[in-house]
Amino acid sequence: MPKTELIDSQVSVKQCTRAVHALHAYASKKQKDQEENELLTNEQYVWLQIAVKQMHPEKKIKPFRIPLKHALVDPRVSPVCLITKDPQREYKDLLESHKIKFISRVVGIEKLKGKFKSYEARRMLLKENGMFLADERVIPLLPGLLGKKWFDAKKQPIPVCMTRKDLKGELERAIESSYMHQNRGTCTSVKIGLLSHTPEKIIDNLKSSLPAIVKNIKDGWDNIQSLNIKTNSSVSLPIWTCELGVAKGGRWDGMVKSDDASIAGESEEGSDADEANMDSEEQVPAVLAGKGKGGKKPLNENVEKPVTTKDMKRKRSVEGGVKKKAKIVKDGLTKSAGASDGGSDSNEASMNLGEHVPAVAGKGKRPLNEDVQKPVTPKDVKQKRSAEGGAKKKAKIVNGGLTKSAKGELIGKKPGRP
């Protein structure tokens, strides 16, 4: 294919023309239907979607400037607002000295913090202006002052240099360009036209913007996976897709191969030994080869199963139980295993004679010898205190000067005459 029919020697102009005409016809018909049924409609943009193979390592606040042949904003129709440093009056005089008349409004930082502090005031400012420019020295302050509504409406302030000698040319280039915001994802979108533009103007903007977009992407065409165009609410139509091979620039270029071949070779060589083990009905442990396609691979008995996190937790739980049991034995609640085994005959004899053997409360009650006393529990202490309190109360009633009949009843005598 001749180079004259390609954009940046990669994208076919014929494919772009077909996609733009189809998208423009569909979106224009849909917008006409919406205008008949709705009172307010928003301007539809034409977007170029760029999908990359590897995401960008970092996110940058300052966007990349993309030149367009046909501007997206007309200052005569859509007002342009300029956000500057303080004092605000100094920059208004600067615009007048350069005879710049396409800036509709100048807003300083102090006015943003004061007059436009409320949500309603900021929303009105956003609605009244079609584009926002800002001095590049105040860009880091704006996300906290403006809020997320600017970013949701895709009206982020465009940074400009207010110290340039050719200030008018700087502001004109900023208004006539589009911008690519670099994020950490694998897909980004750039405005390349309006639905009110003709398909020919959109194609001209695509030809002028695509080389600059590719230049600002890491590794250029080698890192681009696909290009699509769409409107705000339509499906995306493809205009270019990389090859799916492993050649340079392909989808799988630079991908590291897995070790599936080596695993397959080992399994084929060891197939005879595995069959012999299975015939002899020996238990062969299975070891997980990894998260790849190898899956579980049978090995010989001398290969131990790898230790997992679950095994470590189970081992710690068993060790903790042993330590707890040893502590209970040390405190006199139970006897050691050796002592219980040694005293099994005496325990059986005492059980046969009908002697009462106390049981220790806890996990698994165990009979012990008579010389081992039952541990004192809070319940026993409470019962003992209750009994002592009852005895004291009874003695107080007897000695408290009650009637003789009552005293007699308390001390066990029948009531009668003195």
Side-chain angles (χ1 to χ4, degrees):
M1 186 180 292
K3 291 185 178 180
T4 54
E5 298 182 7
L6 296 177
I7 302 175
D8 202 20
S9 47
Q10 292 286 338
V11 183
S12 170
V13 176
K14 184 179 179 181
Q15 177 65 19
C16 294
T17 305
R18 292 175 59 189
V20 169
H21 278 83
L23 182 66
H24 191 273
Y26 168 77
S28 299
K29 183 180 179 182
K30 189 175 180 181
Q31 187 178 28
K32 188 176 180 181
D33 295 339
Q34 287 180 352
E35 290 175 354
E36 294 177 356
N37 300 324
E38 299 178 7
L39 295 175
L40 299 175
T41 57
N42 296 325
E43 180 68 36
Q44 293 282 325
Y45 290 98
V46 179
W47 298 81
L48 176 65
Q49 281 187 335
I50 307 102
V52 296
K53 302 172 187 176
Q54 295 181 357
M55 65 179 65
H56 298 283
E58 59 182 2
K59 182 179 180 181
K60 292 185 178 180
I61 298 177
K62 189 175 180 179
F64 298 109
R65 183 175 293 181
I66 307 299
L68 296 177
K69 192 172 182 180
H70 306 282
L72 303 178
V73 177
D74 187 357
R76 296 169 296 181
V77 179
S78 300
V80 179
C81 178
L82 176 64
I83 302 174
T84 64
K85 292 178 66 177
D86 295 315
Q88 177 181 304
R89 171 50 56 185
E90 178 183 339
Y91 291 94
K92 284 185 176 181
D93 297 338
L94 181 64
L95 295 179
E96 291 178 1
S97 63
H98 284 81
K99 297 181 180 181
I100 299 173
K101 298 181 180 180
F102 51 83
I103 299 296
S104 304
R105 189 167 195 169
V106 178
V107 179
I109 295 297
E110 289 297 329
K111 187 174 276 191
L112 277 179
K113 294 179 179 179
K115 182 179 179 180
F116 298 103
K117 184 178 181 181
S118 65
Y119 176 79
E120 292 296 330
R122 281 182 290 160
R123 188 177 68 173
M124 290 301 297
L125 180 66
L126 177 64
K127 243 176 139 182
E128 291 173 355
N129 299 277
M131 187 176 186
F132 290 87
L133 304 177
D135 191 342
E136 60 185 5
R137 294 170 292 184
V138 301
I139 285 290
L141 303 175
L142 296 182
L145 295 175
L146 298 177
K148 67 175 185 178
K149 288 296 180 181
W150 259 257
F151 299 90
D152 294 341
K154 306 298 181 184
K155 289 186 178 180
Q156 300 97 316
I158 304 303
V160 292
C161 182
M162 297 297 295
T163 58
R164 289 269 180 97
K165 292 182 179 180
D166 185 16
L167 182 60
K168 187 175 181 179
E170 172 73 8
L171 297 178
E172 286 177 349
R173 286 190 296 271
I175 293 173
E176 294 173 355
S177 302
S178 184
Y179 295 89
M180 182 176 70
H181 297 270
Q182 179 177 300
N183 51 30
R184 291 192 184 127
T186 57
C187 184
T188 186
S189 300
V190 181
K191 296 176 186 176
I192 60 169
L194 297 170
L195 193 58
S196 57
H197 286 165
T198 61
E200 289 72 20
K201 288 185 178 181
I202 297 174
I203 295 172
D204 290 341
N205 284 348
L206 180 61
K207 291 179 180 179
S208 61
S209 63
L210 189 56
I213 292 172
V214 175
K215 184 179 178 181
N216 290 302
I217 292 178
K218 185 181 178 182
D219 298 332
W221 283 106
D222 293 338
N223 193 27
I224 297 177
Q225 182 174 337
S226 64
L227 298 174
N228 302 274
I229 58 170
K230 69 183 294 293
T231 63
N232 295 6
S233 57
S234 72
V235 297
S236 59
L237 300 180
I239 59 174
W240 183 84
T241 305
C242 69
E243 297 181 359
L244 295 178
V246 294
K248 186 177 180 181
R251 178 66 182 90
W252 314 117
D253 182 20
M255 296 293 180
V256 180
K257 291 185 178 180
S258 61
D259 297 334
D260 295 340
S262 59
I263 294 175
E266 292 176 1
S267 60
E268 290 176 0
E269 293 176 359
S271 59
D272 298 336
D274 293 338
E275 289 177 1
N277 292 336
M278 294 300 290
D279 293 337
S280 60
E281 297 183 357
E282 295 180 357
Q283 185 178 1
V284 180
V287 180
L288 187 62
K291 290 187 178 180
K293 297 181 180 179
K296 295 185 178 180
K297 185 182 175 187
L299 302 177
N300 294 330
E301 287 185 352
N302 55 359
V303 180
E304 297 181 357
K305 188 177 180 179
V307 180
T308 61
T309 307
K310 189 175 181 181
D311 298 334
M312 294 296 294
K313 287 183 179 179
R314 189 183 293 117
K315 183 179 179 182
R316 289 172 184 171
S317 177
V318 172
E319 291 176 355
V322 172
K323 291 179 180 179
K324 188 175 181 181
K325 191 176 291 185
K327 186 177 180 182
I328 294 173
V329 171
K330 186 176 180 181
D331 293 342
L333 295 180
T334 60
K335 285 190 173 182
S336 63
S340 61
D341 294 340
S344 59
D345 298 336
S346 60
N347 289 337
E348 291 177 1
S350 62
M351 291 298 289
N352 294 334
L353 293 174
E355 296 178 358
H356 177 69
V357 180
V360 178
K363 279 191 175 181
K365 296 185 178 180
R366 240 176 120 195
L368 304 177
N369 294 333
E370 287 184 350
D371 54 344
V372 179
Q373 296 181 358
K374 186 177 180 180
V376 179
T377 62
K379 187 176 180 181
D380 299 334
V381 175
K382 190 174 181 181
Q383 289 178 354
K384 185 177 179 182
R385 289 177 180 173
S386 178
E388 291 176 354
K392 290 179 180 179
K393 188 174 181 181
K394 189 181 289 187
K396 186 176 181 181
I397 292 174
V398 172
N399 300 325
L402 297 178
T403 59
K404 291 183 179 180
S405 59
K407 289 181 180 180
E409 290 178 0
L410 290 172
I411 62 177
K413 294 183 179 180
K414 294 182 179 181
R417 296 181 179 180

